[in-house]
């Protein structure tokens, strides 16, 4: 049973969140979750219905008396935008209060996509989406932003992310700029936290309390949830997993970071660098790339070669997946999650990568097989950040 906070606003929010988690819920089911009197709960439900936050959805099954009234949240009472800002692609979604996606767009982050251009594009898309759905801007609760870190979450600033194709992405007060351009309040979190929040929302009926999210793409990102809440450190932790040392005195990626760090073995950039190094040494084993300059070799070429069963590339991906499995096992042995969600371009490059990473991780989990966490590619996958950004706005809802 949840002990209700004496603050009326917190009680309202807690009840509303419970109804959101379980549509078609009865007063009796709510009574079992909260230490409220029947009259207090009835009055609260009447208020939420009267204000439009929830609605009656029908009658439930009788347990001997009258059939109980069922309640659900009103999806059209308010709306939320979820914005993903990533290195390769960014996306924007418009969601109702049940987090159904009403509109969605995705675009490439090329060398022209500066902060100014992205903000202008977001503003244009916000107007298009609202007009298409006939939604007044006043009904929008906010824009949640899940962005590549590091960042200052409290100040709403993207600090100094690496590897953006366009210039200008250092010390960007993204929340302030978005708010000024759109007239809608914005809040910021890193993309890994947003993705984890989204995947947790998608599984809300399963009551999972401890989750780990790992994204392997251009860089490595991770997020952790304990007791159903995101875990935050003293600084933004999104990219810290990439600096996990898995080989003492091992290589560094691009001459930066820790020696022997995971990112030097299991990242898109690590694979690209390994192939480019082979080509520079005159050991080009990548078919069709004989006349290509080393720096022009990119991940798309490697994934194509992987699906064409080129042995050289298959071995590189297999080694990378094994190192990823070791990194995962290290995290799991510390955090002991129930569920690990894996995402990103590297994880999804080929089924064998995911399978190898999971297999290696399982072999190195302490207490295995008595302790067997579940591995998944997630339910939302490439939409996880945008959905999760909207979830983060919903979590801050004041009703």
């Amino acid at each position: 049973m949840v002990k209700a906070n004496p603050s009326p606003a917190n009680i309202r929010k807690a009840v509303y969140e419970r109804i959101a988690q379980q549509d078609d819920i009865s007063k009796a089911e709510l009574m079992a979750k909260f230490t409220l009197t029947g009259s207090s709960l009835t009055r609260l439900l009447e208020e939420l219905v009267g204000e439009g936050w929830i609605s009656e959805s029908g009658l439930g099954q009788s347990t001997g008396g009258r059939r109980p009234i069922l309640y659900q949240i009103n999806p059209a009472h308010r709306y939320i935008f979820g914005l993903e800002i990533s290195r390769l692609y960014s996306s924007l979604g418009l969601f109702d209060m049940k987090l159904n996606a009403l509109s969605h767009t995705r675009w490439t982050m090329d060398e022209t996509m500066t902060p100014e251009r992205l903000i202008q594009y977001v503003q244009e898309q916000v107007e298009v989406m609202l007009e298409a759905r006939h939604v007044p801007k006043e009904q929008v609760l906010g824009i949640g932003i899940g962005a590549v870190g590091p960042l200052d979450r409290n100040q709403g600033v993207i600090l100094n992310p690496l590897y953006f194709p366009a210039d200008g992405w250092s010390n960007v007060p993204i929340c302030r700029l978005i708010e000024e351009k759109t007239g809608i309040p914005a809040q910021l979190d890193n993309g890994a936290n947003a993705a984890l929040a989204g995947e947790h929302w998608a599984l809300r009926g399963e009551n999972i309390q401890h989750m780990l999210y790992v994204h392997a793409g251009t860089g490595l990102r991770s997020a952790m949830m304990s007791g159903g809440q995101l875990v935050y450190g003293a600084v933004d932790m999104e990219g810290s997993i990439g600096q996990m040392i898995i080989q003492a005195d091992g290589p560094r990626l691009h001459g930066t970071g820790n020696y022997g760090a995971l990112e030097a073995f299991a990242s898109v950039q690590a694979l690209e660098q390994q192939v480019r190094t082979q080509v520079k040494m005159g050991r080009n084993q990548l078919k069709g790339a004989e006349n290509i300059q080393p720096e022009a070799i990119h991940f798309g070429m490697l994934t194509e070669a992987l699906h064409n069963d080129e042995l050289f590339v298959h071995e590189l991906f297999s080694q990378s997946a094994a190192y990823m499995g070791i990194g995962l096992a290290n995290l799991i042995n510390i955090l002991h999650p129930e569920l690990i969600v894996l995402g990103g371009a590297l994880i999804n490059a080929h089924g064998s990568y995911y399978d190898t990473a999971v297999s290696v991780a399982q072999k190195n989990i302490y207490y295995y097989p008595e302790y067997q966490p579940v591995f998944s590619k997630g339910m939302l996958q490439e939409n996880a950040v945008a959905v999760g950004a909207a979830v983060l706005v919903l979590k801050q809802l004041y009703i």
Side-chain angles (χ1 to χ4, degrees), residues 14-301:
V15 170
Y16 180 83
E17 288 182 343
R18 182 61 193 173
I19 297 172
Q21 290 171 8
Q22 180 187 329
D23 262 346
D24 300 322
I25 189 171
S26 68
K27 177 183 171 182
E29 289 175 297
L30 290 169
M31 287 287 295
K33 296 292 181 181
F34 297 93
T35 54
L36 288 169
T37 64
S39 59
S40 295
L41 181 57
T42 297
R43 185 166 55 252
L44 192 157
L45 291 172
E46 289 174 348
E47 290 176 358
L48 292 175
V49 169
E51 295 169 13
W53 290 104
I54 66 174
S55 62
E56 297 179 0
S57 59
L59 298 175
Q61 295 294 321
S62 172
T63 57
R66 289 187 301 175
R67 296 170 65 189
I69 297 172
L70 300 179
Y71 296 91
Q72 66 177 6
I73 61 172
N74 178 5
H77 187 58
R78 292 288 189 275
Y79 299 87
I80 308 170
F81 281 101
L83 172 63
E84 173 186 8
I85 301 177
S86 193
R87 297 181 178 97
L88 300 179
Y89 299 95
S90 290
S91 65
L92 177 71
L94 173 63
F95 303 89
D96 65 19
M97 293 301 286
K98 288 188 177 181
L99 293 184
N100 298 308
L102 306 179
S103 299
H104 187 269
T105 184
R106 180 179 297 272
W107 62 93
T108 302
M109 294 291 285
D110 59 21
E111 65 277 0
T112 69
M113 196 55 68
T114 62
E116 295 77 16
R117 177 71 189 97
L118 180 136
I119 291 164
Q120 177 63 37
Y121 187 75
V122 168
Q123 187 270 331
E124 294 168 358
Q125 293 303 308
V126 164
E127 298 295 336
V128 168
M129 291 180 182
L130 292 180
E131 183 177 352
R133 289 285 174 172
H134 306 290
V135 174
K137 190 175 291 185
E138 294 74 26
Q139 280 192 270
V140 179
L141 289 174
I143 299 179
I145 306 171
V148 172
L151 46 81
D152 185 327
R153 184 169 55 93
N154 294 323
Q155 297 299 316
V157 177
I158 298 175
L159 297 175
N160 55 340
L162 300 175
Y163 315 126
F164 266 79
D167 295 329
W169 282 98
S170 293
N171 299 312
V172 179
I174 192 69
C175 285
R176 177 176 63 80
L177 296 174
I178 289 286
E179 289 174 1
E180 290 175 352
K181 199 68 173 177
T182 66
I184 300 172
Q187 66 182 72
L188 175 68
D189 209 328
N190 69 55
N193 283 342
L196 179 52
E199 294 289 357
H200 186 254
W201 171 268
L203 297 169
R204 59 192 179 279
E206 299 186 21
N207 194 33
I208 295 173
Q209 296 295 300
H210 308 287
M211 286 179 66
L212 172 65
Y213 174 82
V214 175
H215 177 102
T218 302
L220 302 181
R221 300 184 278 169
S222 66
M224 178 64 191
M225 181 174 284
S226 181
Q229 302 296 319
L230 290 170
V231 175
Y232 290 99
V235 295
D236 184 56
M237 304 184 298
E238 184 188 49
S240 299
I241 180 180
Q243 295 306 310
M244 178 193 303
I245 298 171
I246 59 171
Q247 185 183 104
D249 300 321
R252 302 165 82 193
L253 185 62
H254 301 314
T256 61
N258 289 330
Y259 287 96
L262 181 60
E263 68 173 7
F265 298 91
S267 67
V268 166
Q269 293 186 88
L271 283 168
E272 290 176 336
Q273 182 172 279
Q274 289 166 18
V275 175
R276 289 168 183 167
T277 299
Q278 292 291 317
V279 173
K280 290 175 183 177
M281 297 174 64
R283 301 173 183 170
N284 185 9
Q285 302 181 57
L286 188 63
K287 294 178 182 178
E290 292 81 7
N291 299 316
I292 296 177
Q293 291 297 315
E295 297 308 316
I297 294 173
H298 56 81
F299 186 65
M301 298 169 61

Side-chain angles (χ1 to χ4, degrees), residues 195-196 198-200 202-203 206 208 210-216 221 223 324 328 332 337-344 346-348 350-351 353-359 361-362 365 372-382 384:
L196 179 52
E199 294 289 357
H200 186 254
L203 297 169
E206 299 186 21
I208 295 173
H210 308 287
M211 286 179 66
L212 172 65
Y213 174 82
V214 175
H215 177 102
R221 300 184 278 169
M324 174 59 69
L328 290 173
I332 293 166
E338 301 164 72
L339 174 66
I340 301 100
V341 176
L342 305 179
L346 195 51
I347 295 294
N348 295 311
H350 192 279
Y353 194 98
Y354 174 85
D355 292 341
T356 299
V358 170
S359 175
Q362 289 173 329
I365 293 175
Q372 294 193 45
V374 176
F375 291 84
S376 169
K377 289 186 179 181
M379 295 184 64
L380 302 175
Q381 299 188 11
E382 67 177 12

